Amino acid sequence: MDKDKLSSAAKAIVAKQKGVLAADESNSTIKKRFDSIRVESTEENRRRYREILFSTQGIESYIGGVILFDETLRQSNQEGIPFADLLSGRGIIPGIKVDKGADSLALCPEEKITGGLDGLRERLIEYRNMGAEFAKWRAVIEIRERDVPTSFGIRANAHALARYAALCQELDIVPIVEPEVLMDGSHDIERCEAVTSGVLEAVFTELDAHHVFFEGMLLKPNMVIAGIKCTSQEKVQRVAEATLRCLTRYVPAAVPGIIFLSGGQGPEDATEHLNAINGMGPHPWQVSFSYGRALQAPVLATWKGREDNVTAAQKIFLKRCRLNSLACGGKYNRAMERAE
Ligand code: 13P
């Protein structure tokens, strides 16, 4: 493990108020996104769409890294330049999703466990040779009535995350550690805070036990937020305070960056929450974004699969990248949404 290389790559991804574009939707997930705009999910349409994102002029000022899916890392732009080279040529670090998705945890049918550890060392070597400098693994924690998640379910996911992170670092690949407590459900913000606290505590206990080098990783957590079906949705400041309380207690200051997932928040809400969290800084870590839907939903809705919409789709993409970067410095306000 080259600690200097890992820590400088981790820092570079979140330097200068930059964040990460999560464009690593699996083929089944991107199909759902394409279905919503009535675009067929063919390999070529997926390639075209990713090219629109990656070739948007100016995003390099706001985006430090892009997470790719296996298929996308093997694809190229129209001129035949591999996407990984296109991105790194613009100063954006390419990364790769390496988990194989979540399935039910055997004998615990209400909980999920993420797969993909078998053969991971070999896959990481191949991805590194193709230009990936960081990786992502997502654990999925659902909040249900009564006793779910259990401490066993949390521990099992934390253990898998730590095994993945150690394998990455052995090969000088920066691991993004993503324990996602889902927003689905009717739980309130207090329940989300309690579960997220337990998850982060377990994750850092396992990372430490697996000798993971905290300075050479990034954490990708959920914000602390009420479930989507909860009748009382909290104000922006309350979300920021609960999220920070949780992070301050459980995330070591040695971790260089916390990059939130958006998890189903609307694009403007995700930006506003990030802004409020940074407004309460300075923090020991860079606090930034690694959004999928909150960056891409307006792009998809504008593009709709049509060539004559590409310029408008790229414009809206650049705007979301820029506004989220402003939120990394606590300099965003909602009026900026209407100003352009
Ligand atoms: P969302 O921002 O859409 O939650 O996606 C982020 C991600 O990478 C989920 O793994």
Side-chain angles (χ1 to χ4, degrees):
M1 160 162 74
D2 182 339
K3 290 186 170 177
D4 289 341
K5 189 172 172 198
L6 284 168
S7 69
S8 55
K11 277 190 207 139
I13 293 168
V14 289
K16 300 184 190 145
Q17 292 168 5
K18 289 185 202 175
V20 171
L21 164 66
D24 60 324
E25 298 84 0
S26 63
N27 285 351
S28 59
T29 301
I30 198 78
K31 181 177 182 313
K32 283 187 222 148
R33 311 272 186 266
F34 278 11
D35 284 350
S36 72
I37 54 164
R38 297 210 177 91
V39 170
E40 198 189 345
S41 182
T42 61
E43 187 173 343
E44 174 55 16
N45 281 343
R46 295 191 290 270
R47 194 205 63 72
R48 269 176 69 212
Y49 172 61
R50 264 70 182 246
E51 181 167 355
I52 292 170
L53 298 174
F54 307 158
S55 62
T56 300
Q57 292 306 309
I59 57 163
E60 60 277 7
S61 303
Y62 315 117
I63 299 291
V66 173
I67 319 173
L68 305 169
F69 184 58
D70 179 279
E71 175 186 276
T72 321
L73 183 61
R74 300 174 195 282
Q75 288 176 325
S76 303
N77 73 356
Q78 270 173 338
E79 284 84 50
I81 302 169
F83 282 141
D85 295 350
L86 179 80
L87 291 167
S88 49
R90 298 178 60 192
I92 300 174
I93 302 178
I96 178 77
K97 168 196 176 80
V98 299
D99 68 70
K100 297 222 162 161
D103 208 342
S104 61
L105 181 58
L107 305 184
C108 303
E110 296 215 79
E111 293 181 89
K112 293 220 154 66
I113 184 77
T114 302
L117 286 171
D118 288 351
L120 181 56
R121 185 180 270 126
E122 293 71 28
R123 286 196 291 130
L124 285 169
I125 291 169
E126 187 193 7
Y127 290 142
R128 189 181 59 179
N129 291 339
M130 293 169 80
E133 292 183 45
F134 70 93
K136 180 192 106 170
W137 178 288
R138 172 174 174 255
V140 179
I141 310 290
E142 286 173 325
I143 300 182
R144 302 269 181 97
E145 301 295 305
R146 295 189 300 276
D147 301 329
V148 176
T150 62
S151 59
F152 173 72
I154 291 173
R155 218 165 57 235
N157 274 289
H159 188 267
L161 273 168
R163 283 196 56 203
Y164 140 82
L167 276 164
C168 288
Q169 291 193 336
E170 182 187 84
L171 294 164
D172 301 330
I173 293 172
V174 173
I176 293 184
V177 172
E178 180 179 9
E180 176 173 5
V181 177
L182 293 185
M183 271 174 78
D184 303 353
S186 53
H187 55 273
D188 59 18
I189 193 169
E190 284 85 7
R191 182 96 199 277
C192 181
E193 183 172 352
V195 172
T196 304
S197 297
V199 167
L200 292 177
E201 185 188 16
V203 165
F204 280 96
T205 301
E206 290 292 339
L207 290 170
D208 196 32
H210 284 74
H211 310 292
V212 170
F213 174 56
F214 292 163
E215 289 83 347
M217 63 163 275
L218 295 168
L219 178 72
K220 177 163 173 166
N222 52 285
M223 292 182 190
V224 173
I225 206 162
I228 227 150
K229 291 194 212 130
C230 180
T231 44
S232 64
Q233 290 297 326
E234 303 299 335
K235 296 227 157 67
V236 172
Q237 193 55 27
R238 182 99 203 281
V239 170
E241 283 164 10
T243 303
L244 261 184
R245 192 161 49 232
C246 213
L247 296 174
T248 312
R249 287 180 179 165
Y250 297 103
V251 184
V255 174
I258 294 176
I259 49 174
F260 290 107
L261 58 94
S262 59
Q265 299 178 57
E268 297 180 14
D269 287 348
T271 310
E272 200 169 16
H273 286 143
L274 178 63
N275 187 68
I277 292 167
N278 277 306
M280 295 170 71
H283 304 305
W285 346 263
Q286 295 299 314
V287 178
S288 182
F289 58 93
S290 174
Y291 294 159
R293 283 163 286 179
L295 285 172
Q296 294 184 55
V299 185
L300 284 163
T302 307
W303 175 51
K304 297 195 194 85
R306 292 176 47 153
E307 211 46 44
D308 51 346
N309 290 334
V310 167
T311 306
Q314 290 185 321
K315 188 168 175 229
I316 206 147
F317 179 48
L318 182 65
K319 174 181 170 183
R320 287 258 61 81
C321 294
R322 191 172 61 74
L323 294 182
N324 280 299
S325 174
L326 282 173
C328 291
K331 295 197 176 80
Y332 163 86
N333 66 67
R334 210 128 174 168
M336 291 172 176
E337 298 288 352
R338 293 181 297 279
E340 50 199 279

